[in-house]
Amino acid sequence: MKKHLIAAATLATFAGAAFAAPSVTLYGIVDTGLGYQHQKVTGQSSTDELSMTSSVNETSRWGLKGEEKIGNTTVSFNLADKFNTDDGTQADEDGRLFGREAQVSLSGRYGTLTAGRIGALGSSIGTYDQIFAVGDAFDGGDWDVFGLAATPVIDNSLTYQSPKFAGLQLTAQYSFKSNSKADGTEGRSSADRYAGAAVNYENGNFQAVLGYEFIDRSSLDSAPITKDGQLVTLGGNYNFEGVAQVFAMGQYFRGWDEVAGQNYEDLGLTGKGLKGWGAHLGTIVPVAGGDLTAGLYYVDGETGDSAVESGDKASADVQYYGVAVRYVYPLSKRTSVYAGASYGQSKVKNAVAIDDTKTQTTSVYTGVSFKF
């Protein structure tokens, strides 16, 4: 009898160990297509380009993810890298092996804590894509049409996400140094540091998000932007099932480096950065077994008082309009074909370093996405 009990206990032990054994999954997306782009810049000859494109409908990437349950806690990880399908190179310009995401997480009854490199709340990338996934029909724009202010993928970060309560969920992030390859010491004022929080609400077919993101850079006197960056975003969507899902989003930014298709440093200025507001309206409509996505983007901003090489104070106004449409048809659970067209217009006025400039970009494209 005792031998039978021992045997049963041993089998139960191995069964439990097998059930709790860690799992590792290889996953990814391959997205390749052809795109034609016509661009006209004030004072320059127009350009036309037909080229193979990568990451239009989906970002081409591969990754490894896995998890193990230990008691009431789940330990997991996610490693992801972007690549270009047209030439096989890494898409991360800094040469990181896992430039898109490299993180480990602990999850339990009180929420999830994540550490590592990960997309910020307003980056439209990765596990904690909280803002654009809710407020933007394209979840980060369509190819080159976007113009809004966004936050980057951040290094050295801690993220806490609470459990959902009455449809509400809090996500908070902090980075000790948002870019490890930049100057400055991690955790000190000599480095750009990031902090952000987003509150998401979900009730049936309705979703909403309110986010605040902050970049601490006030002590970097030698940098092009010496003012802290602040970004406030409010967005939401409602799904009229079988008819359309409608999106709306607005944002206010100040001390920002790139917005409305313009980079602050490229304007030849140093100082307070760009400030202003942006808005988006969009929809996803089911059509003939696929999804038709359309979006409008508008951004209005200015530099405020900034310095030029002469030391004089100057300012510049920036403005952006964008419209995009894309149709995606699933051939299977893994493979989709797509086609789209877009138009974006970026303006710079009253700048000292450069003349008033208008850049108009028209694009059409088609391609295929494969998920594994």
Side-chain angles (χ1 to χ4, degrees), residues 275-288:
K275 66 177 180 179
W277 63 278
H280 162 72
L281 290 174
T283 186
I284 302 175
V285 181
V287 177

Side-chain angles (χ1 to χ4, degrees), residues 175-251:
S175 169
F176 297 92
K177 184 181 180 182
S178 57
N179 183 0
S180 293
K181 294 182 177 291
D183 293 337
T185 303
E186 182 177 342
R188 304 292 294 273
S189 60
S190 59
D192 281 0
R193 290 163 292 168
Y194 166 92
V199 177
N200 291 70
Y201 176 71
E202 185 172 356
N203 185 0
N205 293 342
F206 175 72
Q207 292 180 312
V209 62
L210 174 62
Y212 173 76
E213 297 175 274
F214 179 82
I215 297 177
D216 184 354
R217 61 162 78 93
S218 59
S219 64
L220 303 181
D221 295 332
S222 62
I225 302 177
T226 57
K227 189 176 183 63
D228 294 335
Q230 299 185 67
L231 177 61
V232 180
T233 309
L234 176 64
N237 70 80
Y238 189 88
N239 191 354
F240 299 91
E241 293 185 23
V243 179
Q245 188 174 8
V246 180
F247 296 77
M249 184 169 66
Q251 62 176 202

Side-chain angles (χ1 to χ4, degrees), residues 227-314:
K227 189 176 183 63
D228 294 335
Q230 299 185 67
L231 177 61
V232 180
T233 309
L234 176 64
N237 70 80
Y238 189 88
N239 191 354
F240 299 91
E241 293 185 23
V243 179
Q245 188 174 8
V246 180
F247 296 77
M249 184 169 66
Q251 62 176 202
Y252 169 78
F253 55 87
R254 64 183 300 175
W256 222 249
D257 58 345
E258 190 165 354
V259 74
Q262 301 296 327
N263 183 281
Y264 182 77
E265 187 175 5
D266 291 343
L267 296 175
L269 302 172
T270 60
K272 297 182 179 180
L274 291 157
K275 66 177 180 179
W277 63 278
H280 162 72
L281 290 174
T283 186
I284 302 175
V285 181
V287 177
D291 287 328
L292 179 66
T293 303
L296 299 172
Y297 298 88
Y298 177 78
V299 181
D300 189 280
E302 61 180 14
T303 63
D305 289 338
S306 301
V308 293
E309 292 182 358
S310 65
D312 297 331
K313 290 187 176 180

